Amino acid sequence: MANRDTAGSGFTPVSVLGNGPATSGQSKYKIDNGNATNIFLGTQVQTAAGYVTVGAVNSKTIGVFNGCFFTAANTQKPTFSNMYIANTATDNNTDVDCFVNDNPFQNYEVSADAATPQAAFMETYRSNAVAGSLVTGRSTQTLDIGATTATASQWRLLRQAEDVENEDILVAFGKVIVVQNLCEFVTPS
């Protein structure tokens, strides 16, 4: 059976490890004014020189981007956006406040880019390259099923998601549940 989704939709917080209540708590960080990379809702992020940036493949992450706030240079109005557009002009060239789901034990629902056999569970995977929609602001990241290791990749695949429209894990874009494996907060250097 084909899944309804035909593209990824990034990482969506759904629960926490151990199935405790998922508060989807987020913390405020900064994006460097003039950052030249788009960051979409549901994109994995990391820090560099104290600022949030897109999480590179197999680097330690701090969590998943959940929007940003800034004063727009052209209108001088406070602006909330679920995506950061590269080189966003801010009033007085100030840094952009961004919000990140940063609980290292947060579980996320994500689409797998290929069939996911049962033997693939509890292995670690990286995500595919960052992309997204400038219309919706949503990331199109997926889990890269072709890139697996026992312990060295960013995300640990826990189980199949309970999404009846995308439950076929034997074809592309089946939904699965993952948790951060390489996290800046808990992974040793």
Side-chain angles (χ1 to χ4, degrees):
M1 177 177 124
N3 290 312
R4 187 178 131 241
D5 288 355
T6 58
S9 56
F11 293 87
T12 302
V14 292
S15 62
V16 292
L17 203 57
N19 289 313
T23 61
S24 297
Q26 60 186 5
S27 298
K28 183 166 64 170
Y29 295 89
K30 296 285 186 184
I31 297 173
D32 193 11
N33 181 44
N35 179 326
T37 305
N38 292 333
I39 308 175
F40 297 98
L41 177 68
T43 298
Q44 66 187 21
V45 291
Q46 67 185 53
T47 58
Y51 290 104
V52 165
T53 187
V54 170
V57 171
N58 282 342
S59 65
K60 292 180 183 179
T61 59
I62 61 167
V64 172
F65 183 78
N66 199 37
C68 62
F69 179 83
F70 57 93
T71 302
N74 58 342
T75 64
Q76 277 74 48
K77 290 188 177 183
T79 304
F80 177 83
S81 177
N82 62 355
M83 64 184 156
Y84 170 81
I85 303 300
N87 302 309
T88 293
T90 60
D91 191 34
N92 296 321
N93 293 320
T94 57
D95 292 332
V96 174
D97 289 331
C98 74
F99 305 97
V100 176
N101 295 110
D102 62 358
N103 180 345
F105 304 108
Q106 179 74 53
N107 291 345
Y108 296 92
E109 182 179 88
V110 64
S111 295
D113 70 346
T116 311
Q118 187 62 39
F121 289 84
M122 298 311 293
E123 294 290 312
T124 67
Y125 299 86
R126 65 180 187 213
S127 64
N128 285 304
V130 175
S133 169
L134 293 174
V135 175
T136 66
R138 187 78 194 170
S139 170
T140 56
Q141 271 189 305
T142 58
L143 198 65
D144 186 354
I145 297 301
T148 182
T149 67
T151 60
S153 293
Q154 288 166 313
W155 300 96
R156 183 165 301 276
L157 177 54
L158 299 176
R159 62 185 175 275
Q160 179 178 356
E162 295 181 20
D163 178 349
V164 296
E165 294 182 323
N166 298 292
E167 67 181 0
D168 190 350
I169 60 173
L170 298 179
V171 298
F173 304 111
K175 296 280 188 167
V176 294
I177 304 297
V178 298
V179 67
Q180 289 182 85
N181 185 58
L182 300 180
C183 176
E184 290 184 34
F185 301 126
V186 296
T187 307
S189 299

